[in-house]
Amino acid sequence: MPGFDPYDALIPVYLKTEAPQRVRQIGTAIFVELHGKPFLYTAAHVTDAMKHGELLIPTITGLSPIDGYVAYIDLPPEIRRTEDSTDIAYYRLSSEFARELCHQFQPLPQNRRELILNAQELTVCSASGYPASKSGKTNEGAYYSEIFSVRGVVADEETYSSLSLSPEQSIVIHFSKKEAIDPETGKSLPTPSLRGISGGGIFAWPEGESFPMTDRFQSLWGLCIPSRRKKA
């Protein structure tokens, strides 16, 4: 799809609580089209936060409760979410709510996603989302969050074995903080904590593709379980 920017499919997720009374950004979701229907994909530990409050995302009217059916992979009481290697949730959005989202975001088309059988089929990948440390509130009372992307290579078999994971079920990517460079000045950038990009996108670079500093990806897939600003 010419001109499609995968960043447009990433949406910051906020949690509104009553005690304490506050709104804060806790994760990221991917706005996708599946068989012509609108969905949000995210991590199950993001939707787990619903037990503490209400999940909100930016729409044309501001931060709004997510309107749709939510489903996630639940766990037995004796297993903690931190031990869950699946950690997947999704929303089937109402059509009206999806239209409100489309004023700021665009769904990731189905033909831009690929199902892989083994993570080691991949080479260079970028994990992108909205770090909680890059979110805040303006003097005018508007909330904002900034996209951040880190690039690395898929781990080898030895790394998977050391973590007791399988490349058929998990994606492990090696990142190097020293490669975070400001594309305008060429100087090193401080790397924010990745807390908050959970549920964001993992974007695969096609083999032989160059890696422009703008990180406009060509081939897309994945879900993060782990400089542009949008206001709401």
Side-chain angles (χ1 to χ4, degrees), residues 116-137:
I116 63 167
L117 300 179
N118 190 307
Q120 292 182 318
E121 298 173 16
L122 305 166
T123 53
V124 178
C125 298
S126 293
S128 305
Y130 288 88
S133 60
K134 302 289 283 184
S135 66
K137 193 174 182 180

Side-chain angles (χ1 to χ4, degrees), residues 38-117:
F39 286 80
L40 282 182
Y41 293 163
T42 190
H45 72 262
V46 173
T47 55
D48 284 348
M50 290 188 296
K51 67 183 70 172
H52 305 297
E54 187 174 38
L55 295 184
L56 312 173
I57 59 176
T59 69
I60 190 174
T61 59
L63 286 180
S64 304
I66 303 173
D67 183 11
Y69 169 82
V70 62
Y72 55 88
I73 297 178
D74 210 348
L75 297 171
E78 68 273 13
I79 299 180
R80 296 178 298 174
R81 184 64 75 186
T82 53
E83 301 169 347
D84 177 23
S85 61
T86 306
D87 199 2
I88 293 174
Y90 71 86
Y91 283 87
R92 167 66 168 88
L93 301 176
S94 70
S95 297
E96 181 178 353
F97 187 76
R99 283 193 292 271
E100 293 181 353
L101 279 181
C102 285
H103 286 271
Q104 295 190 73
F105 308 97
Q106 293 298 320
L108 187 63
Q110 191 164 342
N111 63 4
R112 297 300 298 269
R113 302 193 303 278
E114 179 182 355
L115 179 65
I116 63 167
L117 300 179

